[in-house]
Each structure stands twice: as C-alpha cells, then as structure tokens.
Amino acid sequence: MIGAGFGGIGTAIRLRQRGVEDFLVFERAADLGGTWRDNSYPGCACDVPSNLYSFSFAPRPDWSRSFSPQPEIWDYLRACADRYGLHPHLRLGHEVRAARWDGAAGRWQLDTSGGPYSAEILVAATGPLSEPAIPDLPGLDTFAGHTFHSARWDHGYDLTGRRVAVVGTGASAAQFVPEIAPRVAGLTVFQRTPPWVLPRRDRALTGVEQRLYRTVPAAQRLVRSSLYWSRELTAVAFLRPRFMAVGQRMAQRHLRRQVPDPGLRAKLTPRFTMGCKRVLLSNDYLPALARSNVDVVTEKIAEIRPHGIVTVDGAEHPADTLIFGTGFHVTDAPAAQYLYGRDGRNLDEVWQGSPKAYLGTTVAGFPNLFLLLGPNTGLGHTSVVLMLEYQIEFVMRALSYLDSVGARQVEPRPEVQREFVLEMDRRLAPTVWLSGGCASWYLDRTGRNSTIWPGFTWAYHRRLRRFDPGAYLIGNPDSVDIADHVK
C-alpha cells in the first residue's frame, strides 16, 4: 500500500483480519495519519459527525464532540494501528518515487527512498487531499515576509501582531480564520467566490453518552445508522438542484444573523447554487469576517510585492505574512505521475488531465492496481470513510477471486471502463456540481467532474458488493488468452 491514512490503515486491518501478513504500507512521512496528520492548523476539525467519520468495524466511544477535532482523528488512526498490530507492516519515512508494472514477472517494481521493493498487488491510498495547491501568482517569489499553506502550518511562527493576508475562502480558511483573527493586527482575506455557509450543529458529548457507547455498543451503532440515513437523504438536493432552495434559505438566514453590515453581506452572498462548491459548516467564520481588523477583498490578485499584495484595481494591501488556504491537487494528483502501467506510460499520461477508473478503483492498462478514493468516488453530502470501506471490501473480494481461480493478474476491460465513465458523465450532467453555475475543484482541467460520485453511497456499495469477473481481464504473467478464467 502507498499511504498510511484512512485508506492504507483500513486496508491493512482488513488484510490482517483475513490472515494475510505479507504486506507493507509505505508512508513518506515520519508518522501515519495522512490528511489528519498534515492538517494541524488552528481550528482544524471534521465537518462530518464523529460517529460517521470512523471505521464501522472500529468505533470509538469517547469522541469529545459531535464533530471531532483534528487531534482526536489523528489519535484514532494511531490507536487503530496499535489495536490491530499494524506497526510491523508500516514503512514510515519511505517515499514511493516510482512504481512500474513488470509484465514478465507479473509484479510491481517500487523505487522508494528506503530502497527497492516489489509486490504482486499495489493499493494506492494516497488520498485526494494530500498535496497542497499553491496558485502561481506573479511575484510570489519576491515576497519578503513569511509564507505557508494551511496544510503545512508553521506552528513555530507567532502570528500575534502580524499583518496577515489569507488567499482562499474554502473549508480550511473557514476554520483557521476565526482562530487567528483575534491575534493579528490586521487580516486581509482574498476571496474569489463566497462559499455557502450553514450553521455547525456541534456540541460536547456528555459522559453519559460516552459510557453508554462503551457499555452498549449497539447504542452507538444506532446513532451511526441514524446519522447515515439523515446525511444520505441530503444527497437528493445535490442530484436534483431544485431541492437546494431549502438549504439556501437556511444559509441566507444564517448570513443575515451573523453579518449585520449590508455591504459585507453582499460580498459574502454566493451567486451560484448551493452544493456546486463545497458547503461549509461554521458558526464563527462569518462573524470573524465582520471584525474591525478584518477586510474581505473580492478583487482579483494582480501580483505579489515584497511587502504586500496588489489587486487588479491597483490597490496594494500591506502584509508581512501570507497564508494559502487554497486546497489541494485533486484531479492532478502528483501520485499519477509515478505509477507506470503495462505500456510504460504513467497514469498522468494516460488520463491526460481527466482521471478515469472503473468503479473509481481499477484502471485499464494497470494490472493489479487498486485506487482508494479514486476518480468519481468523492462525496458532497456524507463521509468518504464509507466509500473507503466499500472499496476496501471490494479489493478483498477481488483478491479472493484471484485465489479461487489460481490467477495472479486483474485489470478492467477497456470497454467496460469506457462505459462506466460515460455513465458517470451522463448522471453528473443534471447535478448541482455541473449545473450550479460555479467552477469548483471537483472539475478537472478538461471540464469534466472526475471527482464526485453522482448518487447515494448505498448505490455505490451495491455496485461493489460482488466482484464481477466478466468486467475484467484475468490471467497470469505473459498469458496469451487472459480471458480464459472468466469463461
């Protein structure tokens, strides 16, 4: 496996539970945790309820809040590694620099910072939110102050009394801006498009609830189930945007209550349908923008100068600190550049700017490669941990099938993958992600939405509940008729 976040840890647990011990998890960092290790900015927390943002097979009864903060999620993943004995399988500080399919040997040959390795099966669990994206702004290299991305927060740098510029108003900025605003001398937030913001129904969990979950696990499963179905129902509005009117009215009321100034409120009012971009949950972001030491700038950035930022209207905004809350490389993930398939091309070359995979998990021309949270497996309404579990179970089924027929290679048939991608495009066309009137990070550089699953999670689960050998080329190294096993 590549990556020791939710995907890598979950897959490792399931392998051990199946009695498989011959596997390794490569992690480039010095500790496991993935997104929840890297994103340690002030205020970082999950926007999915704690009881749903965790493995179904490894509940945690003592979450402190209904929406868990980043340190608890990171602790949860480390506790899972301890509980299921994963440490002998972890290779921390091992960056995978290249992985190439060797057809003659029927193995993946890995070049890592810790030396060469080979494996029959490769699971890429690098995650879509792993590589920070920093915009290519003119003059950025001339800035004389301190610069960092929210996913690489510099905790050794004191923001007290600083003049800070924040570029980006997405989910990360909505959490760290309220935390730093009271400490800085001045805060300028550069907003390209305002997000829709809904109230965050967060609260501390009581000791009674925690004791109940610990002594009666079925109670926590019931809560998880209720959360699942309540979240699942909201998918209807994303799939049929006319139903978003109710959510928009809630958000507009939330904005009116929290921002009394009509001028600022106008700046913060979205001009696209809710859900087209990621919907934010916050009780303190909008009030933070209304503080006297905070300024929201909507003009486009023209250039960066040594001591400030210049917008297209000619105004210069002084700053000694620049923080990027500009998200991640999602549809252009760097991992695609080092995975080389059957014909010697890497995923980036094959995809040509638009990621495609059958069921978001396997890719034609890349035998024995399984992607976790691959193309069209993202969600706008609920927990991606659900999708991960479905994919992990699918990987287990695929491996079981290979064992049952004595085969060693599997990859999707190109025509099956093409039809799946066309189906995704057809189903996404009427959804809010394509008809909502915005340009979001869900869209790749060709304009396709190659990120989101256009449906309910239970529907995705149903598609993966069985391994269909007819959709795959299955065989052995250098076999001529690799379809024999599926006749």
Side-chain angles (χ1 to χ4, degrees), residues 279-293:
V279 180
L280 307 186
L281 304 180
S282 178
N283 300 326
D284 53 9
Y285 174 61
L286 296 173
L289 298 181
R291 290 177 57 91
S292 60
N293 67 328

Side-chain angles (χ1 to χ4, degrees), residues 16-63:
R16 289 216 68 210
Q17 289 177 332
R18 287 167 50 88
V20 178
E21 297 291 343
D22 185 15
F23 70 89
L24 295 175
V25 182
F26 295 98
E27 170 57 56
R28 65 183 177 181
D31 201 351
L32 59 85
T35 295
W36 296 103
R37 175 202 59 235
D38 293 342
N39 286 267
S40 61
Y41 56 80
C44 184
C46 193
D47 56 7
V48 173
S50 310
N51 282 320
L52 200 56
Y53 200 84
S54 49
F55 295 122
S56 62
F57 52 82
R60 173 175 172 165
D62 61 344
W63 294 111

Side-chain angles (χ1 to χ4, degrees), residues 138-161:
L140 180 58
D141 59 343
T142 70
F143 186 64
H146 193 52
T147 304
F148 56 89
H149 190 280
S150 61
R152 301 292 184 268
W153 196 271
D154 187 349
H155 291 278
Y157 181 74
D158 187 5
L159 291 172
T160 304

Side-chain angles (χ1 to χ4, degrees), residues 82-372:
D82 292 339
R83 175 180 173 184
Y84 293 98
L86 302 186
H87 290 284
H89 299 276
L90 298 179
R91 294 297 180 268
L92 303 176
H94 282 55
E95 180 180 9
V96 176
R97 298 184 291 221
R100 302 175 186 274
W101 174 252
D102 181 344
R107 300 180 70 87
W108 284 93
Q109 305 296 341
L110 278 64
D111 171 25
T112 82
S113 58
Y117 292 83
S118 69
E120 289 189 359
I121 306 294
L122 182 62
V123 177
T126 53
L129 307 182
S130 59
E131 290 290 338
I134 296 180
D136 185 18
L137 298 174
L140 180 58
D141 59 343
T142 70
F143 186 64
H146 193 52
T147 304
F148 56 89
H149 190 280
S150 61
R152 301 292 184 268
W153 196 271
D154 187 349
H155 291 278
Y157 181 74
D158 187 5
L159 291 172
T160 304
R162 302 286 186 178
R163 298 182 65 88
V164 179
V166 171
V167 178
T169 54
S172 299
Q175 293 183 340
F176 72 73
V177 163
E179 296 290 325
I180 68 173
R183 294 192 285 126
V184 303
L187 179 61
T188 307
V189 178
F190 291 86
Q191 172 187 274
R192 185 176 58 180
T193 51
W196 285 100
V197 184
L198 287 171
R200 185 179 180 87
R201 310 298 186 188
D202 189 25
R203 65 177 180 84
L205 295 185
T206 66
V208 172
E209 289 173 292
Q210 293 171 341
R211 287 192 296 273
L212 176 64
Y213 294 160
R214 189 177 296 110
T215 57
V216 187
Q220 190 170 20
R221 290 196 296 270
L222 180 62
V223 170
R224 179 184 172 94
S225 179
S226 65
L227 287 170
Y228 171 78
W229 287 110
S230 63
R231 284 268 172 159
E232 200 71 352
L233 286 173
T234 64
V236 173
F238 291 85
L239 302 175
R240 299 291 182 267
R242 65 181 182 275
F243 294 114
M244 273 293 179
V246 175
Q248 289 189 182
R249 285 195 293 270
M250 292 175 58
Q252 289 164 345
R253 184 166 59 249
H254 187 52
L255 177 60
R256 286 195 301 271
R257 288 174 176 172
Q258 296 206 309
V259 181
D261 178 63
L264 178 58
R265 196 163 61 237
K267 285 185 178 182
L268 301 178
T269 300
R271 304 286 186 258
F272 55 87
T273 305
M274 176 183 279
C276 185
K277 287 177 175 283
R278 183 171 173 178
V279 180
L280 307 186
L281 304 180
S282 178
N283 300 326
D284 53 9
Y285 174 61
L286 296 173
L289 298 181
R291 290 177 57 91
S292 60
N293 67 328
V294 177
D295 186 25
V296 177
V297 176
T298 57
E299 286 78 14
K300 185 178 179 181
I301 294 174
E303 65 172 324
I304 308 294
R305 290 181 181 173
H307 303 288
I309 298 177
V310 178
T311 47
V312 292
D313 58 355
E316 182 169 0
H317 307 271
D320 56 41
T321 306
L322 177 54
I323 303 174
F324 288 103
T326 44
F328 301 86
H329 290 280
V330 177
T331 59
D332 59 341
Q337 299 173 13
Y338 62 71
L339 297 174
Y340 293 83
R342 184 186 297 281
D343 63 2
R345 293 185 299 163
N346 63 30
L347 270 179
D348 193 52
E349 294 169 318
V350 170
W351 282 343
Q352 296 185 344
S354 189
K356 303 177 182 71
Y358 179 53
L359 298 175
T361 309
T362 54
V363 183
F366 290 76
N368 294 4
L369 174 66
F370 295 91
L371 307 178
L372 300 186

